[in-house]
Amino acid sequence: PFQVVGGKVKKPGKRGRKPAKIDLKAKLERSRQSARECRARKKLRYQYLEELVSSRERAICALREELEMYKQWCMAMDQGKIPSEIKALLTGEEQGKAQQNSTKLAKAAKTDANSSNP
C-alpha cells in the first residue's frame, strides 16, 4: 500500500486541498451575504463621517461667532468704551480673588490655631 518515491514513503490518498465540490447555490448565497454586510458597514461608516462633519461644522460656527464677539469688543475698546461683558468679567475676577484670599486667610488661621493647641 505504500509507495517509495525519491527515498520517501508516500501514503495512498491525496494531500492538500480537496477539489471544490461546494454547492454553487451555497457559494452564491455566501457571496450575497458578504456583499450585504459590506454595504451595511459602508453605510454605517458614511453615517459616522457625516455626523462628524456636521458636529465640526457646528463647532466652527460657534468659534466664528465667538471671534466676531471678540472683534466687536476690541473695536469698542479702541473707541474708549469698555463693554459690559468685560466689566462683568473684571469685577467677577476681583470678587473671585477676594473670596480666594479670604478663604486662604481663614484656612491659615485655622491651621495656626490647630498647631498652637497640642
Side-chain angles (χ1 to χ4, degrees):
F2 297 108
Q3 288 182 327
V4 178
V5 177
K8 294 186 179 181
V9 178
K10 288 188 88 177
K11 295 180 182 176
K14 296 182 180 177
R15 296 189 64 184
R17 268 183 102 166
K18 303 270 192 256
K21 292 184 179 177
I22 300 170
D23 187 17
L24 189 60
K25 287 183 179 180
K27 186 175 180 181
L28 285 173
E29 184 54 39
R30 277 202 317 269
S31 177
R32 289 186 191 112
Q33 181 63 30
S34 177
R36 278 192 290 270
E37 291 170 1
C38 180
R39 286 190 295 271
R41 284 192 305 270
K42 183 178 179 181
K43 185 178 178 182
L44 284 174
R45 186 169 48 248
Y46 272 88
Q47 285 175 346
Y48 165 74
L49 290 172
E50 286 172 0
E51 289 172 9
L52 193 64
V53 167
S54 65
S55 71
R56 298 285 164 90
E57 285 174 346
R58 285 193 301 272
I60 288 170
C61 288
L63 288 170
R64 283 193 175 134
E65 289 174 9
E66 188 177 352
L67 178 63
E68 191 58 38
M69 179 184 66
Y70 291 141
K71 283 181 182 178
Q72 296 295 327
W73 288 4
C74 290
M75 286 170 40
M77 286 193 289
D78 287 344
Q79 295 171 0
K81 301 173 188 172
I82 299 177
S84 58
E85 295 92 343
I86 294 179
K87 285 182 184 177
L89 285 173
L90 291 173
T91 56
E93 285 178 10
E94 289 171 4
Q95 289 174 353
K97 287 179 183 176
Q99 287 176 350
Q100 287 176 351
N101 288 338
S102 65
T103 56
K104 284 180 186 176
L105 290 172
K107 286 181 182 177
K110 285 181 184 177
T111 307
D112 290 344
N114 290 341
S115 62
S116 63
N117 293 334

